Amino acid sequence: MPAVYEQYLVPVIFRPFAEDLTARAAALRPQQILELAAGTGVLTADLLAIAPLAEVTATDLNEAMVAFGSTRAPGAVWRQADAQRLPFLDGGFDLVVCQFGVMFFPDCIEAFTEVRRVLAPGGRFLFSTWGPLGTHAFEVALQAGLERAFPVDPPRFLQTVPHGYADPAVVAADLAAAGFAVEEEQELTLQGRAASTADLATGYLTGTPLRAAVEERGDGPAVRATIIEEMTARLGPGPAIAPMTAYVFRAAA
């Protein structure tokens, strides 16, 4: 999964936002950076480039992602870690960053409380979360393809997980409950550019947790062909360019 995720999804979906988050991080001039849910290291590599004197520790719950990411961004210290039980001492970092990972935390308040614990006083927590599903044109097309392929019981992974933490008021309340002061909250829409809808479908169907949900329902060539056909009807064969909306938060410990 990490290799497929890196090849087909990272350049299209995650790199545009990684560049934005990196610029925000650079403005804070961090010295000790902790990244949560680092995945294959797209943001990690950018952080190393903009803060060459900083110490960057990259973590992910998935050991396969840690193994892959450590080859992509070897300048960071990579560790497998659960965001709700971070294996670090109190106050050891001045910046914690997380790109599109908080939606996967089972208990965001617990995870945010851990983030605050490992931040030094005045340290910052910088992260992004997706907006509602309807604001991500690629995934609107993908969900339509899933519903066409599985009209009785389509997978709802996109709505419930990646786009399941899409109310900024809820996010801000969770941060406050964990003891953070929200300094900035911004809605950000960027363009994704995919070489083809077939590549994009391959990335989602084989490089994300959506894979398991599809396989449970009878994955096969006909299913994938239906999904690609629906996505192509909505996005064109490629290159496909579409808007994606996220929320970016900066909070102070």
Side-chain angles (χ1 to χ4, degrees):
M1 284 177 60
V4 174
Y5 174 92
E6 173 72 18
Q7 179 178 354
Y8 294 114
L9 296 183
V10 164
V12 181
I13 308 298
F14 299 104
R15 171 151 295 287
F17 290 96
E19 292 171 354
D20 174 82
L21 208 60
T22 299
R24 296 171 190 265
L28 298 173
R29 301 184 182 277
Q31 297 299 311
Q32 297 285 341
I33 304 172
L34 172 63
E35 183 181 1
L36 306 179
T40 57
V42 59
L43 177 61
T44 321
D46 285 353
L47 291 170
L48 290 166
I50 60 96
L53 300 181
E55 293 186 13
V56 179
T57 301
T59 66
D60 199 282
L61 184 63
N62 187 310
E63 291 185 357
M65 288 292 191
V66 171
F68 190 100
S70 64
T71 65
R72 191 185 192 284
V77 175
W78 283 83
R79 292 188 62 173
Q80 189 274 339
D82 181 345
Q84 294 180 202
R85 288 176 288 277
L86 292 172
F88 305 109
L89 297 176
D90 295 1
F93 301 94
D94 56 2
L95 176 63
V96 176
V97 294
C98 183
Q99 176 168 266
F100 301 123
V102 296
M103 308 88 71
F104 292 89
F105 299 161
D107 186 327
C108 285
I109 295 176
E110 184 176 346
F112 293 169
T113 301
E114 272 291 90
V115 170
R116 188 172 182 275
R117 179 184 66 78
V118 302
L119 276 170
R124 301 305 201 279
F125 182 25
L126 181 63
F127 67 94
S128 55
T129 180
W130 290 118
L133 176 60
T135 65
H136 195 304
F138 288 133
E139 295 182 1
V140 167
L142 174 60
Q143 185 62 35
L146 291 167
E147 291 174 4
R148 180 175 163 189
F150 304 104
V152 175
D153 180 29
R156 299 292 180 186
F157 169 76
L158 294 174
Q159 294 101 316
T160 58
V161 183
H163 299 278
Y165 199 46
D167 184 341
V170 172
V171 179
D174 287 350
L175 285 166
F180 278 103
V182 177
E183 294 183 323
E184 184 178 21
E185 170 200 319
Q186 182 181 356
E187 180 179 306
L188 180 66
T189 299
L190 299 176
Q191 299 293 316
R193 293 171 172 80
S196 73
T197 49
D199 284 354
L200 197 60
T202 297
Y204 278 112
L205 296 175
T206 61
T208 74
L210 185 59
R211 174 178 181 171
V214 171
E215 288 177 347
E216 287 174 359
R217 290 164 172 79
D219 186 19
V223 167
R224 297 194 184 198
T226 297
I227 293 170
I228 291 171
E229 182 179 288
E230 182 65 26
M231 292 182 70
T232 301
R234 290 169 175 265
L235 299 170
I241 302 174
M244 310 172 291
T245 296
Y247 300 112
V248 182
F249 286 84
R250 187 183 74 233

